[in-house]
Amino acid sequence: MHSSARFLIEFGAIILALGLLGRFAARFQFSPIPLYLLAGLAFGEGGLLPLGTSEEFVAIGAEIGVILLLLMLGLEYSASDLVSNLKTQYSAGLVDAALNALPGAAMALLLGWGPVAAVVLAGVTWISSSGVIAKVLGDLGRLGNRETPVILSVLVLEDLSMAVYLPIITALLAGTGLAAGSLTLAVALGAAAFVLLVAVRYGRHISRFVSSDDPEKLLLVVLGLTLLVAGLAQQLQVSAAVGAFLVGIALSGEAAEGAHNLLSPLRDLFAAVFFVFFGLHTDPASIPPVLLPALALAVVTAGTKIATGYWAARRAGISAKGRWRAGGTLVARGEFSIVIAGLAVTSGIEPSLGPLATAYVLILVIVGPLTARYTEPLATLLTGRLRKPAPASDTADSGLESVAEEPHEVGQ
């Protein structure tokens, strides 16, 4: 009874603290992710209030949090949407991967962490935070802007890449040999391709089977199916998160919409627990030694993300202002960077990788909303100063052009 009471007190205190932190973040209009990470640092070893009996339950909740994050991500897109984006925007995805993954890999190699850690840190610096970016777009009223579809296309390609990247990471972290690792990757890719094929051809039938007018039955079926598939994927040494992502892709229409509405509160709860769990496994004393590399990496990859968005928007025919807005919006890293780093922390390949990833995400999840808001006016100011004064006739033409263009920038 004593241990049960202590568990309820500890876990209740965690949930209450997360709720208050989330309310504080919402009041000042920024992402609660850094506050959740800081809460984990406070509750973990070396923190102010180390946990005891509730840590094991928090670990299970964190695993469910990752599964729900990827499931909800899959529900956002249909298989046909993913295939269409892959065909039309694949070049933007390649540029995104090259510009943003390579700095992370280079930093890991410079720190002497080895090739496996380099692949992990490449993923940490590559993937933008879909959750933070979606919130920022809504807060700034940019959902109807011409550059927003370009931003979403880049995010979709990153999310789709996770289905390939996570099995590779899982095989590398497991320390399997070349043959076993290749087999694991082949199984993962084959499963992903099979699910996409089934979703494209038979998605309506699957959704009709899962769909229900009773919210309770829909919730139980979708959640049970997701956990089952995630468990089977993990049993096959494929990431459970990939299995959840593929389940989300397979569902569409009313089933996907209903599941999204029902599971959103659960996703938010367990995702918050996941960020706390990641912080629990990071000693606050281990962050200062890696703070300088994390800051350098944040500066470099903020610049490469801005360049990615600018290039992708320019390729889509967006004007200069929209290009800068697209680049600044993509800077934020968050949940999936922590998911990737969490896999490495659990495997224990490099003790300093977790603290560096924590510091890196803390920096960019705070800086990201600022770059989304101020990159375009700052770039306009700087380019205006560097540009020579134009003749009166050119200035008048330019003014007419900008006036004509503005309604397209604002959106529908």
Side-chain angles (χ1 to χ4, degrees), residues 185-392:
L185 180 58
V187 170
L189 295 179
F194 175 75
V195 171
L196 285 175
L197 179 63
V198 171
V200 170
R201 293 190 176 183
Y202 308 106
R204 293 181 180 178
H205 301 289
I206 297 172
S207 298
R208 191 179 301 119
F209 170 77
V210 171
S211 182
S212 173
D213 294 332
D214 188 337
E216 178 184 353
K217 294 182 177 63
L218 177 62
L219 174 64
L220 292 175
V221 169
V222 173
L223 184 59
L225 177 64
T226 302
L227 294 176
L228 176 64
V229 172
L232 291 173
Q234 195 161 355
Q235 190 69 26
L236 295 171
Q237 296 187 350
V238 179
S239 172
V242 173
F245 179 67
L246 294 175
V247 171
I249 292 174
L251 299 179
S252 60
E254 293 183 2
E257 184 178 352
H260 188 281
N261 294 333
L262 291 171
L263 289 169
S264 290
L266 281 178
R267 184 270 316 271
D268 295 339
L269 169 63
F270 285 106
V273 171
F274 166 72
F275 291 121
V276 170
F277 177 74
F278 186 83
L280 289 175
H281 286 72
T282 303
D283 187 349
S286 64
I287 291 181
V290 297
L291 191 56
L292 189 59
L295 182 60
L297 199 56
V299 171
V300 171
T301 54
T304 54
K305 273 294 181 183
I306 291 174
T308 298
Y310 188 96
W311 184 88
R314 181 179 181 180
R315 182 174 176 270
I318 307 299
S319 69
K321 289 184 177 182
R323 298 171 200 168
W324 288 115
R325 286 196 294 266
T329 303
L330 287 170
V331 166
R333 281 17 170 235
E335 59 273 22
F336 296 116
S337 296
I338 297 297
V339 168
I340 295 166
L343 295 174
V345 169
T346 304
S347 68
I349 62 162
E350 174 52 54
S352 297
L353 199 153
L356 188 145
T358 301
Y360 175 79
V361 170
L362 282 171
I363 293 169
L364 287 186
V365 81
I366 294 171
V367 171
L370 298 177
T371 59
R373 186 185 297 268
Y374 297 113
T375 296
E376 180 261 316
L378 183 60
T380 301
L381 178 64
L382 293 177
T383 53
R385 287 183 177 181
L386 294 174
R387 193 175 300 160
K388 293 181 180 180

Side-chain angles (χ1 to χ4, degrees), residues 138-152:
D139 292 342
L140 296 179
R142 295 181 181 175
L143 293 175
N145 281 25
R146 287 191 62 195
E147 74 274 4
T148 298
V150 176
I151 296 170
L152 296 179

